[in-house]
Amino acid sequence: MVNLKVWEKLRNQFTAKKVTLIAVSKTKPASDIQELYNAGQRDFGENYVQELTEKYAALPKDINWHFIGHLQSNKAKYIAPFVHLIHGIDNARLLQEIDKQAAKNNRVIDVLLQYYIAREETKYGMSMAEITEVVKHKADLPNIRICGLMGMASNTDDMAQVRGEFRSLDSFFVLLKMEYFVDHPEFSKCSMGMSGDYEIAIEQGSNMVRIGSLLFGGRTYAK
Ligand SMILES: *Cc1c(COP(=O)(O)O)cnc(C)c1O
């Protein structure tokens, strides 16, 4: 069930702050997406390749599809023709594969590098050194545009820790921008914050927030 009241409230709040609201629709039916689409939402986030390609086929073509899950290299080809932004780049090899698939589709694909900020083994992401390596060699990937960073905070009630993790992502973002992207206005996106921590994320500089359960209700097979 879609909560339109919450959507409207978040949208107004985010528009005022120039924050992009991504409605995370993983595991939810296409009818829920259509309902939010009819209300005016255009950015949707999905975690699973097959689910995303099915929804892409079934829904309006002007939706901006964000891939926010862990992407396996061998599946990049399925979303390369249409994906709007891939958030979770967590290794250099994946980036090479996306570049190749983007070239095949005659397009440039926008991506965010996932920075590992949580103190949790279960989360994906790259270290500062790994990200810096990728960024230094970005000219080798002509069909990729690096547009910023993405990160997930630890799943904890300790909000001071969450705040610190988001702050470290924002600081790194600012540093990369100064070192490597001064003449690249596209390097502008800081994707952090979900239903439980988006307020802290925005306070720490996020301009792209990924919200699922607040909009669509809880998920039965959450990931
Ligand atoms: C599922 C998911 C979200 C949304 O989570 P909610 O807590 O339901 O808002 C955001 N980001 C990523 C990467 C996710 O996998």
Side-chain angles (χ1 to χ4, degrees):
M1 246 215 355
V2 179
N3 194 329
L4 283 174
K5 279 227 163 67
V6 168
W7 174 75
E8 222 163 274
K9 197 194 94 192
L10 290 176
R11 186 204 47 182
N12 293 339
Q13 190 185 333
F14 290 3
T15 305
K17 293 179 173 167
K18 295 194 163 62
V19 171
T20 303
L21 168 60
I22 299 172
V24 176
S25 44
K26 64 184 176 203
T27 81
K28 300 295 175 184
S31 55
D32 279 6
I33 298 175
Q34 185 70 52
E35 199 180 333
L36 262 196
Y37 176 91
N38 293 344
Q41 177 70 23
R42 289 296 178 274
D43 290 271
F44 290 90
E46 291 282 339
N47 286 49
Y48 310 102
V49 167
Q50 190 179 343
E51 191 179 338
L52 173 53
T53 53
E54 284 168 13
K55 285 173 172 170
Y56 168 72
L59 285 156
K61 292 297 169 284
D62 62 339
I63 288 178
N64 297 325
W65 290 108
H66 297 254
F67 191 82
I68 63 170
H70 173 65
L71 183 59
Q72 288 169 279
S73 296
N74 60 349
K75 294 196 174 160
K77 58 176 176 283
Y78 300 115
I79 62 171
F82 66 88
V83 71
H84 177 70
L85 180 64
I86 301 177
H87 290 234
I89 304 298
D90 57 9
N91 68 80
R93 228 191 92 234
L94 172 59
L95 214 45
Q96 284 169 8
E97 179 61 22
I98 295 170
D99 182 62
K100 192 173 112 190
Q101 296 302 332
K104 272 192 188 168
N105 285 278
N106 240 323
R107 57 186 301 237
V108 172
I109 294 183
D110 287 349
V111 302
L112 304 180
L113 306 178
Q114 185 166 2
Y115 180 32
Y116 185 83
I117 50 172
R119 284 184 230 155
E120 268 172 47
E121 293 291 319
T122 53
K123 298 236 170 23
Y124 293 100
M126 292 184 277
S127 68
M128 221 179 243
E130 288 170 315
I131 288 182
T132 306
E133 239 351 81
V134 165
V135 163
K136 277 184 181 161
H137 295 100
K138 63 182 158 54
D140 301 343
L141 305 166
N143 291 77
I144 293 278
R145 238 176 28 147
I146 299 175
C147 295
L149 297 182
M150 177 265 203
M152 292 173 85
S154 298
N155 188 9
T156 170
D157 293 334
D158 182 349
M159 288 304 149
Q161 184 183 335
V162 169
R163 181 171 283 113
E165 291 174 0
F166 284 148
R167 183 175 302 148
S168 73
L169 190 142
D170 185 62
S171 310
F172 188 35
F173 172 81
V174 169
L175 192 133
L176 284 173
K177 174 96 191 152
M178 286 189 312
E179 289 268 324
Y180 301 101
F181 293 96
V182 175
D183 299 321
H184 292 266
E186 75 275 10
F187 191 85
S188 60
K189 295 180 173 67
C190 202
S191 167
M192 53 187 196
M194 331 198 317
S195 291
D197 56 20
Y198 73 91
E199 282 160 315
I200 299 175
I202 293 172
E203 164 204 304
Q204 295 303 322
S206 170
N207 57 19
M208 204 166 235
V209 173
R210 313 172 308 268
I211 306 255
S213 38
L214 273 183
L215 296 174
F216 296 104
R219 289 175 297 270
T220 35
Y221 62 106
K223 212 175 189 183

